[in-house]
Amino acid sequence: METATNTLQGKPDRLLVIGCGMIAREVLAVKEQLGLDHLDLTCLPAEFHYYPDRIPPALDKAIVKAKAEGYDRIFVGYADCGTGGMLDGVCEKHGVERMAGPHCFAFYQGMQAFEAIADGDMLSFYMTDFLCRQFDAFFIKPLGLDRHPELIRDYFGHYQKVVYLAQTNDPALDKVAEDAAKLLGLAYERRFTGYGDLTASLAKATAKKAG
C-alpha cells in the first residue's frame, strides 16, 4: 500500500485531495510538476481496490475529519471505482467533486480516449505503474498463484491481453508488465498515458476558490 499525507493541515486556503492509495505517487508527481504547493494529500488504503463497498463509508469519515481540521476545499481522488454510484452519493452529501470516469484506468488514458477503445478492451487486463510495482503483493500472493500456478487459467483464462498503461518510462516496470503477460499466457500491449486527466483535474480543483 502506498499512501501519503501532508502535515500542513487546518488551512482553509489549501486543497486537500482524499485519494486512493493506488494513485498517491501520481498525485504527488502532478503536484510537483505543476507547482501546486497549496495541495495536500491523504489516502485511503490501496487494497480497497478489491473491496469497493468500503470506499464510500471510509471517504465519508475522511471528509468529516478533514472539515473538522479546517479544510474548506476538498477534492476526491477517486473515480467511481466499482462503487455503483455510492461514491457520488457521498460527494453530493458533502458538496465535493471527484475524478470523472468509472476507474483510474479510464482517467489515466483520458476519458475521450478510453470511451473510444473501451469496447475493444473488454477482454484486457489493465496494469498501471502501481500495479507493476505491487504485482506480487496484489495478484500473485493473494490469489495463491505462487503456490498454485495451475489457477492462472481459472483466474485469467477469459482475458486476451495485458495492457500496461504506463505513467512513466521505467524499463524495470516495463519488464514486470511483460513478464506478467508471459506468466498469464496473454498477449501484451504497452500504452504510455502519462497522468492522463489527473493533471487537468488537479489543476482545475486547485484553481477553484472555496465556496
Side-chain angles (χ1 to χ4, degrees), residues 12 18 21 56 61 77 85 95 98 127 151 153 163 181 187:
I18 303 176
K61 291 180 181 178
R98 67 164 174 85
M127 293 184 69
L151 294 176
R153 190 165 189 83
V163 175

Side-chain angles (χ1 to χ4, degrees), residues 39-55:
L39 183 154
D40 297 336
L41 171 67
T42 186
C43 288
L44 301 183
E47 55 262 34
F48 283 4
H49 174 77
Y50 285 128
Y51 310 101
D53 60 305
R54 299 182 185 180
I55 300 173

Side-chain angles (χ1 to χ4, degrees), residues 1-59:
M1 178 182 71
E2 297 184 20
T3 61
T5 305
N6 193 303
T7 57
L8 297 175
Q9 296 179 329
K11 296 186 178 182
D13 59 330
R14 303 187 68 81
L15 172 77
L16 178 67
V17 175
I18 303 176
C20 171
M22 287 179 62
I23 68 167
R25 185 188 295 252
E26 288 70 30
V27 171
L28 293 176
V30 172
K31 173 181 176 175
E32 181 177 1
Q33 185 182 84
L34 299 183
L36 304 177
D37 296 332
H38 53 301
L39 183 154
D40 297 336
L41 171 67
T42 186
C43 288
L44 301 183
E47 55 262 34
F48 283 4
H49 174 77
Y50 285 128
Y51 310 101
D53 60 305
R54 299 182 185 180
I55 300 173
L59 178 65

Side-chain angles (χ1 to χ4, degrees), residues 71-147:
Y71 282 103
D72 295 325
R73 304 168 62 203
I74 298 170
F75 182 73
V76 176
Y78 275 93
D80 179 73
C81 296
T83 67
M86 290 191 295
L87 202 64
D88 287 331
V90 175
C91 291
E92 184 177 353
K93 171 185 174 182
H94 293 286
V96 300
E97 296 182 2
R98 67 164 174 85
M99 287 293 304
H103 40 61
C104 65
F105 308 125
F107 68 66
Y108 275 146
Q109 296 182 86
M111 285 305 302
Q112 287 187 335
F114 172 74
E115 289 170 359
I117 51 83
D119 289 344
D121 271 1
M122 288 294 289
L123 299 179
S124 295
F125 178 72
Y126 284 129
M127 293 184 69
T128 62
D129 283 12
F130 175 89
L131 292 174
C132 284
R133 293 188 184 97
Q134 303 294 331
F135 186 68
D136 285 346
F138 259 62
F139 297 110
I140 299 298
K141 292 180 180 178
L143 296 177
L145 302 182
D146 52 337
R147 303 182 305 278

